[in-house]
Amino acid sequence: MDPKRTSRLATDIILDMSLLDLIIEKTGVRTASDSIAGDSEAHMLIASLLVLVARSDGGISPDENMRIVNLLSKRFGLTSGEALDLVARAVSELPSHDQLDEVVDSVNEVLSRTQKEDLMFMVLCVIAADEQKDAGEMKLLNKLVDTFRLPDATMQRMYGANFDGLFY
């Protein structure tokens, strides 16, 4: 790999993590401080949903892939390699959107409301990764908000405080 490209990727990761840390600080989203922090099945379930979100616009871009890896690393205290392996496993086990309803229903049953709020924050970060709003992503986002029954005030706080300008 080109050393300049490697250096740029490392800088991008550091900048992304700094932005992520700032957003987490501002929103009060917890990092690995609850019952799913050590649950590998919950990790896989969340990774699967994030992969489905990234795929909803037709494929997983490098930016979306990197964002998912960073989010999983930060949220669950995984190394980048462990998070990348988790994403790769989710990609291979979810060949299509056919499993979307199953994954969403499982997430809805397994996670608490607070955990769902944390997950929605992660979903918004993945959607914002490529700096484009896509109809497929917005449709999936609406489905998740409806299914998880998150309060409008919670979602408005996430949209307004953190994502103005990140989608454009």
Side-chain angles (χ1 to χ4, degrees):
M1 182 176 249
D2 178 5
K4 288 182 181 178
R5 172 123 171 94
T6 303
S7 175
R8 192 178 137 270
L9 289 174
T11 303
D12 289 347
I13 290 171
I14 291 167
L15 291 175
D16 281 347
M17 292 310 292
S18 298
L19 176 60
L20 180 60
D21 290 337
L22 177 65
I23 293 171
I24 287 170
E25 181 182 309
K26 296 293 182 191
T27 61
V29 175
R30 287 141 308 281
T31 57
S33 63
D34 57 77
S35 63
I36 63 170
D39 184 344
S40 61
E41 288 181 30
H43 298 180
M44 184 60 185
L45 186 61
I46 289 170
S48 297
L49 185 61
L50 295 176
V51 164
L52 287 169
V53 168
R55 279 187 180 165
S56 66
D57 63 359
I60 302 175
S61 73
D63 290 336
E64 289 169 328
N65 190 45
M66 185 180 294
R67 183 66 53 90
I68 293 170
V69 168
N70 289 339
L71 288 165
L72 293 173
S73 295
K74 185 74 171 173
R75 177 66 172 87
F76 300 121
L78 303 174
T79 66
S80 294
E82 291 169 332
L84 187 59
D85 288 344
L86 189 58
V87 172
R89 202 171 114 217
V91 167
S92 69
E93 292 181 12
L94 294 168
S96 71
H97 260 52
D98 296 342
Q99 293 125 324
L100 176 62
D101 289 337
E102 180 182 329
V103 171
V104 171
D105 290 344
S106 294
V107 166
N108 201 30
E109 290 175 21
V110 171
L111 300 184
S112 69
R113 182 178 145 211
T114 302
Q115 292 165 335
K116 289 175 196 171
E117 289 175 9
D118 292 351
L119 177 58
M120 286 304 295
F121 171 77
M122 294 170 79
V123 164
L124 289 171
C125 286
V126 171
I127 290 171
D130 60 6
E131 300 180 13
Q132 297 176 0
K133 276 196 250 187
D134 177 86
E137 291 171 333
M138 294 300 104
K139 182 177 177 183
L140 179 53
L141 179 62
N142 287 332
K143 176 184 178 80
L144 293 174
V145 170
D146 290 345
T147 302
F148 296 164
R149 298 181 184 181
L150 296 175
D152 288 342
T154 299
M155 294 308 301
Q156 289 303 320
R157 181 178 44 111
M158 283 188 209
Y159 296 142
N162 305 307
F163 297 96
D164 285 348
L166 285 181
F167 287 127
Y168 303 103

